[in-house]
Amino acid sequence: MPMAPPTDRLLGRLRGPHPGPTLLCIGGLHGNETAGVEALRRVLDRLTPRISEMTGELVALVGNEEALSRSRRFVDRDLNRAWTDERIRALRARGPESLEAEDREQLELLAVIEEVVEEARGPVYVLDLHTTSGSGGAFSAFGDTLPNRNFAAHIPVPMVLGLEELVDGTLLAFLGYHGLVAVVVETGQHAEPEAVDRAEAAILISVTTAGLLASHRLPEASAAWKRLHRESAGLPRALEMRVRHDVQPGDGFRMRPGYRNFQLVEEGEELAADGGGPVVAPEDGRILMPLYQEQGEDGFFLVREFSAFWLWASSALRRLKADRLAPLLPGVRRDPDRPDSVVVDKGVARWYALQFFHLLGYRKEEDAGHRLVLQRRRFDEARFVERGPPPESLE
C-alpha cells in the first residue's frame, strides 16, 4: 500500500468552538503500519469543513516518524514497549547525544501528547491504530476498566482483554494509567487496502462515541459501524489473552505459513519453529497476530473466547465496589505498600482463579511462584463511564 512519508508528527488538529472532549488518534507507532496514518488523513479531510459544528477537538498524530520513513517496524527498539514513568524519567535525564532513534521519537511524541492533555477542555480519549503482519479481521484491545470497555464496545469488532498482562510498556497502558480512556484497534494485515477502510471506520465511530459530533451530523459513522459489524460476523465478541510466545534476537523464529487472526488451533499443534525445534500450541485456543515479518518480539498470541455474560457480571460487581471484599478472602491480603494491590497466597487460595480477580477489576502484576500480586486498575469506576476521568499530567 503506497504512502507518502509524513512531514510532521501533527497530522492535524480540529478544535471546535465549544469546550468538550478530546479524541487523540495515533497512527504509525510502528513504522511498517501505515494504514492508520492514511485513514487519519482521510478523516481530517472529511471533517475539516465541519469544524464549526464540533464540540471539543480531534488530534491526529504520527507515532514513529523515522521508522515510517524507512518502512520498518522500528529503527533501534520497539516504540511500543517502553512507556513507563521510570523509563521516561531516565530518558529525560540523558543527554541528547546518547539517545537512539526511538528515544528521540518517544520524547517528541510525549511532548505533543502532554501539550494536548494540558490544553484539553474535557476528558481525553485515545485511539491507537495498528495493523498486523498476519491476515484476518479487525479487533480491539484495552486495559479492562469500565470507561475503556464502554468506549471500545461502540466499535463492533472482537474485544480482546488482558494484553497488558502479557506485554509491558505499551503506550496504551501508560496513557490509561494517567487517566486517558485508551483503546487499540488492529485493522487487518499491513498491506491490504481494507485495513485503511477499517481504520477510517473506527475513527468515525470514535468521533461520535467521544461526543465531538452528534450522529446526525456525521451519518458516515453509522455506515462505518455497519461495515465493521458485517465484517466481524461469526467472530467471538469477547476474548481473553492466554499465551504470548516471546521471540528473542537470534532465535531463528519462523511462523508456519497460512495462519490467520482468530484461527482455531489445538494443543500440541506445531505453529512455528526456532533454533530449539518445533514451537507448539500449549493449549487449545485461537491464534492472534502470528509473526510474518522480520522485526517483532511477539511470535504469536493465543486467545480464548468467553461469554459476554461475564462482561455484564464484572460490570455489576465493580459498580457495587465488590473489589473491597477481596482482602477479606482467605489467603488474600492487602499490600501494605500499595493500597490498590492485593497479595494472593497461592497455597492457601489455590481455588481462586485469576479470572475471579479480573471480574473485580484486578490485573496480574507479579507471579512469584507461591504468590500473586494483583493491582486494581486506576479509574475503573462507573462515574467515569459516561464522561471519562480528568486526565493527569504526564510529567
Side-chain angles (χ1 to χ4, degrees), residues 26-35 37 63-64 67-68 71-74 77-81 128-131 186 190 293 298:
I26 302 170
L29 197 60
H30 293 131
N32 61 333
E33 301 177 16
T34 61
V37 177
N64 193 332
L68 274 166
S71 299
R72 293 176 58 83
R73 181 178 174 89
F74 56 83
R77 64 172 175 84
D78 194 324
L79 186 56
N80 203 27
R81 294 294 186 273
D128 186 13
L129 298 160
H130 288 262
T131 51
E186 301 270 0
H190 299 324
Q293 60 189 21
D298 311 314

Side-chain angles (χ1 to χ4, degrees), residues 13-16 18-24 55-59 112-126 178-181 212 387-394:
R13 188 169 187 176
L14 307 181
R15 192 173 177 88
H18 306 293
T22 294
L23 176 61
L24 172 62
T55 297
E57 66 177 322
L58 171 68
V59 182
V112 178
I113 296 175
E114 285 177 330
E115 179 183 334
V116 171
V117 170
E118 289 170 2
E119 296 179 0
R121 299 172 291 173
V124 180
Y125 300 89
V126 179
H178 288 282
L180 284 65
V181 178
L212 274 62
R387 180 178 174 83
E392 299 178 342
S393 171
L394 304 181

Side-chain angles (χ1 to χ4, degrees), residues 94-323:
R94 288 164 55 184
E97 68 283 349
S98 67
L99 297 178
E100 295 181 330
E102 272 73 26
D103 297 338
R104 295 188 294 271
E105 295 285 340
Q106 185 170 7
L107 291 177
E108 291 172 8
L109 178 59
L110 179 60
V112 178
I113 296 175
E114 285 177 330
E115 179 183 334
V116 171
V117 170
E118 289 170 2
E119 296 179 0
R121 299 172 291 173
V124 180
Y125 300 89
V126 179
L127 186 65
D128 186 13
L129 298 160
H130 288 262
T131 51
T132 64
S133 61
S135 60
F139 63 92
S140 64
F142 47 91
D144 187 24
T145 66
L146 294 179
N148 287 347
R149 188 193 294 178
N150 179 70
F151 193 78
H154 287 82
I155 304 173
V157 297
M159 300 188 298
V160 179
L161 282 64
L163 178 66
E164 79 275 23
E165 290 188 318
L166 298 180
V167 178
D168 294 327
T170 65
L171 176 61
L172 187 80
F174 172 77
L175 296 179
Y177 182 81
H178 288 282
L180 284 65
V181 178
V183 174
V184 161
V185 177
E186 301 270 0
T187 65
Q189 201 276 335
H190 299 324
E192 60 178 347
E194 293 83 1
V196 182
D197 299 333
R198 297 183 195 114
E200 181 181 15
I203 300 164
L204 293 172
I205 294 167
S206 298
V207 167
T208 57
T209 301
L212 274 62
L213 282 169
S215 298
H216 71 275
R217 296 189 181 278
L218 190 62
E220 300 97 315
S222 176
W225 189 93
K226 292 176 182 177
R227 175 192 176 121
L228 294 182
H229 183 263
R230 181 177 64 252
E231 291 189 359
S232 297
L235 293 176
R237 179 55 167 156
L239 306 100
E240 64 168 341
M241 284 282 187
R242 299 279 300 173
V243 174
R244 170 184 175 266
H245 181 77
D246 181 56
V247 173
Q248 295 294 328
D251 279 357
F253 178 85
R254 299 178 310 280
M255 194 79 205
R256 290 185 62 189
Y259 283 105
R260 297 171 53 86
N261 288 325
F262 300 112
Q263 182 174 333
L264 290 167
V265 299
E266 297 180 350
E267 180 180 355
E269 181 175 341
E270 184 176 339
L271 305 178
D274 59 21
V279 176
V280 302
E283 60 182 48
D284 294 345
R286 293 177 183 265
I287 198 166
L288 201 63
M289 294 185 281
L291 184 66
Y292 290 115
Q293 60 189 21
E294 177 185 353
Q295 294 178 306
E297 302 170 356
D298 311 314
F300 58 83
F301 295 86
L302 293 184
V303 297
R304 183 179 296 174
E305 179 182 2
F306 65 91
S307 171
F309 163 79
W310 295 111
L311 293 177
W312 174 86
S314 66
S315 293
L317 289 169
R318 296 182 203 183
R319 289 174 184 274
L320 293 171
K321 299 184 178 180
D323 63 283

Side-chain angles (χ1 to χ4, degrees), residues 321-395:
K321 299 184 178 180
D323 63 283
R324 294 178 296 184
L325 302 177
L328 304 179
L329 298 171
V332 182
R333 60 181 174 84
R334 183 121 10 227
D335 188 328
D337 299 321
R338 295 184 294 179
D340 58 347
S341 299
V342 295
V343 180
V344 181
D345 185 328
K346 292 163 68 174
V348 176
R350 58 186 179 276
W351 54 85
Y352 301 141
L354 180 59
Q355 286 81 355
F356 169 74
F357 291 97
H358 286 164
L359 289 175
L360 301 181
Y362 286 93
R363 57 166 283 181
K364 182 175 68 176
E365 287 288 309
E366 178 186 354
D367 188 343
H370 65 287
R371 67 181 189 128
L372 280 175
V373 179
L374 307 169
Q375 184 177 43
R376 187 176 180 276
R377 297 172 177 92
R378 302 186 71 203
F379 306 108
D380 186 22
E381 300 179 43
R383 63 192 174 109
F384 295 135
V385 169
E386 295 303 323
R387 180 178 174 83
E392 299 178 342
S393 171
L394 304 181
E395 287 285 351

